[in-house]
Every structure is written in structure tokens, then in C-alpha cells.
Amino acid sequence: MSEYITTYTGKHFNPTQPNPDLISIQDIAHALSLICRGNGHVQTFWSVGQHCICCAKEAAARGLSDRMVLACLLHDASECYMSDVPTPFKKELPEYQEQEEHLLRMIYEKFLGSTLTSGEQAQLKEIDHAMLLYDLENLLGEVQYGEIPDLHIDLDYTVRSFTEVEDEYLMHLKSVWTDGHNFWIHEQVKLLLCRKIRTWPVKKIRSSGKKLMRRMIMSDCRISMNFMRKVSWRSLRMRVGIKEFLKYCLMLLEEGIRTGVLKIK
């Protein structure tokens, strides 16, 4: 029985023994855009990704720091790897809570540089709880009594395609994460190359070779110029721009030659 899950980008990730090097923002953005809020108990689809985006927008509208905006984007990122468990059931699963907290701390440390302070956690919890009240009323028709906190943004529960949500999630992350721009390009390039390999005919490369090359890319091994020439440039042009992509490819190749991974014939 497998001890890992295969992620969207092809990584083998063990949620109970997480490796921070395998945590991918592309996996997080993609998975959260497809996971339904409230375990699917909603009148119309509303993803965890949309919830995180709204939390981030609210944090920005309140004038909170970019770090807090990024924390809002990531606060449910552990669900990408562990799925979600209803709160009443989760309370009876102390080991699950420990694993979830450990993974979330690892995600914060990777993308924020450190875990959240108690003050930051309080700010995040306040926004998260406010969103929950509006979700219950708008997605389930449950009238909320008592004092409902005002939001600084307008919520739009229109059903959207997961690709739109995924792209918006990455866009917000790119705008507030100091290292996000280059990392985002890095992830997009690797993902495109892996998709391209899947479409190559068997006569060009054996299936086992395809898997090996995909594994090499996702583990950050460097690749040859001939391989780069097989990439479909058109599909990247709207995303990162051809100049940036070419610059990135040259950086990979130069580093590969410098480290001896690539040989000039």
C-alpha cells in the first residue's frame, strides 16, 4: 500500500512525513481550486482556493502587511495534502491535528520564512471566522444571528472555473511574495515541460524514459538544450512572457554546465 500521494505536478508526497522540498505552490493552487468548501455541503460550488483568496483580499483591504496577505492565502494549504476534516470530527482526532499543524508550520516556514506569531494568528483567525459566517449564510442559507463583522470587500459567490481560481491564486501570491515571481516562473516551466513529455509519441522516447525525465525535472535536475527545443513556447507566452522564459532557460543551462551536469559536445 502506497505511503505517498502523487501530486498534480507529479511529486510523491508523504503527508505524515512531509518533505519541505516537495511542497509546491503550483500543487497548492491547483488542489485548493478543486477542493470544495464545507466538505461539499454547499448550494453552489465554492472552493477552498476561493475562500483563501477572499481572506487575502480582506487582509489587504484592512491594510495588513503583505506577510499577512500571504498567510491568508496559505492558511488552508495543508488541505492540499491532507484534505479537510469537519471540525466536530477533527476535535476527536488529536493526531490528525498534530500532523496538520506540523505541515502548516512547514508551509509557513517555506513561504513566509517563519511561523505566525500569536498576534498574526489572531488576525488570521478573525478574518477566517468572519468569512465562515458569510459562507454559512450565502452558501447554505443559514441566517446568522448576533453581531456579524463587517467586511472591507464585497463577496461574489459566482461559480467560476477552477482554472480561473487557480490563476488568480497564483497572481495574488506573486504580488505579495518577495521570491514569488521567479519561483512562479520556475514552477510553470517545470509543469509545462512535464505536460509536454506526456504527449511525446512512443517512437521518440520510451514510456519509462518519459517518467524518468519528468522525475528529473520535478527534482530540479538540469536538462539539455535539445530537450528545451521541444517545449511549446506559445502556451507560455501569455503566462510568463517569452523573454522571461528564455532568460530562465539560459539560467538553467548555464548552471547545468557550471556544475558539470550538462556536457558540451
Side-chain angles (χ1 to χ4, degrees):
M1 194 170 179
S2 177
E3 295 182 350
Y4 60 79
I5 61 171
T6 301
T7 69
Y8 170 60
T9 59
K11 294 178 176 64
H12 290 166
F13 189 88
N14 185 339
T16 60
Q17 295 180 345
N19 179 350
D21 292 336
L22 297 180
I23 295 173
S24 163
I25 202 63
Q26 188 71 43
D27 283 331
I28 292 171
H30 181 78
L32 295 188
S33 70
L34 286 166
I35 298 174
C36 190
R37 186 105 159 111
N39 288 88
H41 296 289
V42 288
Q43 294 173 352
T44 57
F45 184 79
W46 182 253
S47 70
V48 175
Q50 287 169 287
H51 164 71
C52 292
I53 290 170
C54 287
C55 287
K57 287 180 175 179
E58 177 66 15
R62 293 185 182 191
L64 301 183
S65 65
D66 284 353
R67 174 180 163 87
M68 278 307 302
V69 174
L70 182 53
C72 285
L73 282 173
L74 296 170
H75 78 280
D76 282 333
S78 59
E79 295 180 21
C80 161
Y81 302 105
M82 298 182 67
S83 194
D84 188 21
V85 175
T87 301
F89 188 34
K90 187 186 293 187
K91 291 178 180 178
E92 304 298 320
L93 303 172
E95 187 174 348
Y96 176 91
Q97 293 179 58
E98 290 176 9
Q99 294 281 2
E100 182 183 44
E101 290 172 6
H102 173 63
L103 178 55
L104 193 54
R105 284 197 302 270
M106 189 176 289
I107 291 170
Y108 283 148
E109 287 172 355
K110 177 164 185 171
F111 297 108
L112 292 174
S114 65
T115 57
L116 300 183
T117 65
S118 57
E120 290 171 333
Q121 288 176 342
Q123 289 178 323
L124 177 55
K125 187 174 182 180
E126 181 181 327
I127 293 174
D128 194 29
H129 180 66
M131 290 298 169
L132 173 62
L133 297 179
Y134 283 90
D135 286 354
L136 290 172
E137 193 162 275
N138 288 278
L139 296 173
L140 282 173
E142 284 192 352
V143 179
Q144 301 300 301
Y145 299 98
E147 187 176 349
I148 307 298
D150 292 328
L151 295 180
H152 295 66
I153 62 171
D154 295 324
L155 294 175
D156 182 2
Y157 287 93
T158 301
V159 177
R160 301 167 60 198
S161 71
F162 78 88
T163 54
E164 286 181 22
V165 175
E166 180 180 348
D167 287 343
E168 184 179 357
Y169 186 99
L170 290 170
M171 180 192 71
H172 284 290
L173 181 135
K174 180 181 168 185
S175 68
V176 295
W177 184 27
T178 305
D179 298 322
H181 184 63
N182 290 335
F183 186 87
W184 181 75
I185 293 175
H186 183 87
E187 291 287 302
Q188 290 289 330
V189 169
K190 290 195 296 182
L191 185 59
L192 176 73
L193 292 174
C194 284
R195 285 174 175 168
K196 188 66 178 175
I197 293 171
R198 292 193 193 106
T199 66
W200 288 357
V202 177
K203 65 180 181 180
K204 283 191 177 182
I205 182 171
R206 292 181 181 177
S207 177
S208 58
K210 289 184 182 183
K211 291 179 181 178
L212 175 61
M213 293 181 80
R214 285 180 57 215
R215 198 168 296 136
M216 286 173 63
I217 297 165
M218 300 319 295
S219 63
D220 280 344
C221 289
R222 303 318 180 192
I223 48 185
S224 70
M225 179 64 85
N226 286 334
F227 182 36
M228 282 294 189
R229 286 177 181 146
K230 295 179 182 295
V231 175
S232 172
W233 307 105
R234 185 183 303 173
S235 58
L236 268 176
R237 189 166 298 156
M238 297 302 294
R239 289 202 151 198
V240 300
I242 193 68
K243 289 184 179 179
E244 283 193 283
F245 180 72
L246 285 169
K247 184 178 179 181
Y248 178 82
C249 290
L250 288 173
M251 181 195 74
L252 285 182
L253 294 170
E254 287 172 358
E255 184 175 343
I257 293 170
R258 178 176 56 80
T259 56
V261 175
L262 298 180
K263 303 294 183 182
I264 301 176
K265 295 182 179 180

